Protein backbone atom coordinates (compact mmCIF):
# COMPACT_ATOMS: atom_id res chain seq x y z
CA UNK A 1 0.00 0.00 0.00
CA UNK A 2 1.44 3.30 -1.04
CA UNK A 3 0.20 6.02 1.29
CA UNK A 4 1.40 9.57 1.34
CA UNK A 5 0.77 12.35 3.82
CA UNK A 6 0.87 16.07 3.24
CA UNK A 7 2.70 17.59 6.20
CA UNK A 8 1.42 21.03 5.13
CA UNK A 9 -2.18 19.82 5.43
CA UNK A 10 -3.97 21.33 8.43
CA UNK A 11 -5.94 18.13 9.05
CA UNK A 12 -4.70 15.84 11.83
CA UNK A 13 -2.42 13.04 10.68
CA UNK A 14 -4.84 10.29 11.73
CA UNK A 15 -7.51 11.81 9.46
CA UNK A 16 -5.05 11.92 6.56
CA UNK A 17 -4.12 8.26 7.15
CA UNK A 18 -7.78 7.22 7.38
CA UNK A 19 -8.55 9.16 4.18
CA UNK A 20 -5.69 7.52 2.31
CA UNK A 21 -6.77 4.02 3.39
CA UNK A 22 -10.42 4.82 2.61
CA UNK A 23 -9.36 5.97 -0.88
CA UNK A 24 -7.27 2.81 -1.44
CA UNK A 25 -10.26 0.64 -0.53
CA UNK A 26 -12.67 2.72 -2.63
CA UNK A 27 -10.38 2.59 -5.65
CA UNK A 28 -10.06 -1.19 -5.42
CA UNK A 29 -6.46 -1.48 -4.20
CA UNK A 30 -7.87 -3.60 -1.37
CA UNK A 31 -10.87 -5.88 -1.68
CA UNK A 32 -13.09 -7.17 1.12
CA UNK A 33 -11.17 -9.82 3.05
CA UNK A 34 -7.72 -8.46 2.17
CA UNK A 35 -5.37 -7.89 5.08
CA UNK A 36 -3.70 -4.54 5.64
CA UNK A 37 -0.05 -4.27 6.63
CA UNK A 38 0.52 -4.09 10.41
CA UNK A 39 0.04 -0.64 11.94
CA UNK A 40 3.68 -0.60 13.03
CA UNK A 41 4.84 -1.14 9.43
CA UNK A 42 2.51 1.56 8.10
CA UNK A 43 3.71 3.98 10.77
CA UNK A 44 7.34 3.28 9.98
CA UNK A 45 6.78 3.76 6.24
CA UNK A 46 4.99 7.06 6.87
CA UNK A 47 7.41 8.25 9.53
CA UNK A 48 4.69 8.75 12.15
CA UNK A 49 3.79 7.30 15.53
CA UNK A 50 2.10 3.86 15.46
CA UNK A 51 -0.63 5.20 17.77
CA UNK A 52 -1.59 7.68 15.04
CA UNK A 53 -2.05 4.83 12.57
CA UNK A 54 -4.00 2.81 15.15
CA UNK A 55 -6.35 5.75 15.70
CA UNK A 56 -7.01 5.95 11.95
CA UNK A 57 -7.63 2.20 11.79
CA UNK A 58 -10.06 2.39 14.74
CA UNK A 59 -11.96 5.20 12.99
CA UNK A 60 -12.27 3.06 9.86
CA UNK A 61 -13.35 0.08 11.96
CA UNK A 62 -16.06 2.25 13.51
CA UNK A 63 -17.21 3.20 9.98
CA UNK A 64 -17.50 -0.50 9.13
CA UNK A 65 -14.71 -0.51 6.53
CA UNK A 66 -12.23 -2.57 8.56
CA UNK A 67 -12.44 -5.41 11.02
CA UNK A 68 -9.91 -6.35 13.67
CA UNK A 69 -9.26 -10.03 14.28
CA UNK A 70 -7.10 -11.14 17.18
CA UNK A 71 -4.05 -12.89 15.82
CA UNK A 72 -5.00 -12.15 12.21
CA UNK A 73 -4.53 -8.39 12.05
CA UNK A 74 -6.73 -5.89 10.28
CA UNK A 75 -8.69 -6.77 7.16
CA UNK A 76 -11.09 -4.97 4.86
CA UNK A 77 -14.68 -5.63 5.88
CA UNK A 78 -16.35 -3.98 2.92
CA UNK A 79 -15.91 -1.63 0.02
CA UNK A 80 -16.07 2.10 0.66
CA UNK A 81 -19.31 3.38 -0.72
CA UNK A 82 -18.93 5.82 -3.58
CA UNK A 83 -20.74 8.61 -1.76
CA UNK A 84 -18.40 8.34 1.25
CA UNK A 85 -15.38 8.39 -1.05
CA UNK A 86 -16.67 11.45 -2.88
CA UNK A 87 -17.45 13.18 0.42
CA UNK A 88 -13.87 12.53 1.57
CA UNK A 89 -12.46 13.96 -1.66
CA UNK A 90 -14.80 16.97 -1.44
CA UNK A 91 -13.55 17.67 2.10
CA UNK A 92 -9.98 17.50 0.84
CA UNK A 93 -10.82 19.82 -2.07
CA UNK A 94 -12.47 22.29 0.30
CA UNK A 95 -9.43 22.22 2.59
CA UNK A 96 -7.19 22.89 -0.41
CA UNK A 97 -9.43 25.74 -1.57
CA UNK A 98 -9.27 27.31 1.90
CA UNK A 99 -5.49 27.28 1.73
CA UNK A 100 -5.79 29.43 -1.41
CA UNK A 101 -8.28 31.78 0.20
CA UNK A 102 -11.44 30.40 -1.37
CA UNK A 103 -14.52 29.52 0.64
CA UNK A 104 -17.20 26.89 0.18
CA UNK A 105 -19.41 29.16 -1.94
CA UNK A 106 -16.45 30.09 -4.16
CA UNK A 107 -15.72 26.41 -4.69
CA UNK A 108 -19.36 25.69 -5.59
CA UNK A 109 -19.26 28.50 -8.15
CA UNK A 110 -16.09 27.05 -9.67
CA UNK A 111 -17.64 23.56 -9.83
CA UNK A 112 -20.84 24.87 -11.43
CA UNK A 113 -18.72 26.51 -14.13
CA UNK A 114 -17.17 23.19 -15.16
CA UNK A 115 -18.47 21.53 -18.32
Amino acid sequence: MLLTLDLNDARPLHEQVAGAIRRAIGEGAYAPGDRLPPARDLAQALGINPNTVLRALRDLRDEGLLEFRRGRGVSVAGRADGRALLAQRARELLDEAKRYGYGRDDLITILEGLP
Side-chain angles (χ1 to χ4, degrees):
M1 174 185 307
L2 178 61
L3 301 179
T4 57
L5 301 179
D6 180 1
L7 299 178
N8 296 321
D9 192 334
R11 291 180 303 144
L13 288 175
H14 75 276
E15 288 181 11
Q16 291 185 52
V17 173
I21 294 171
R22 192 180 295 111
R23 237 185 340 271
I25 293 169
E27 292 173 352
Y30 283 92
D34 287 351
R35 284 183 41 192
L36 268 59
R40 188 176 312 268
D41 293 351
L42 287 173
Q44 185 175 8
L46 294 170
I48 60 176
N49 189 300
N51 289 323
T52 303
V53 173
L54 287 170
R55 184 172 176 187
L57 294 175
R58 281 192 301 269
D59 288 349
L60 294 172
R61 177 198 59 197
D62 294 345
E63 290 177 19
L65 280 179
L66 301 179
E67 57 186 22
F68 292 19
R69 301 248 177 163
R70 188 176 303 269
R72 298 192 127 183
V74 178
S75 60
V76 177
R79 179 151 321 279
D81 103 34
R83 185 174 176 85
L85 185 59
L86 286 174
Q88 173 67 28
R89 287 187 175 173
R91 278 190 293 277
E92 292 170 1
L93 179 60
L94 184 56
D95 289 341
E96 183 75 16
K98 286 179 181 176
R99 279 198 292 267
Y100 288 103
Y102 293 98
R104 183 178 180 272
D105 292 334
D106 298 322
L107 187 56
I108 290 171
T109 302
I110 292 169
L111 290 173
E112 287 174 341
L114 294 176

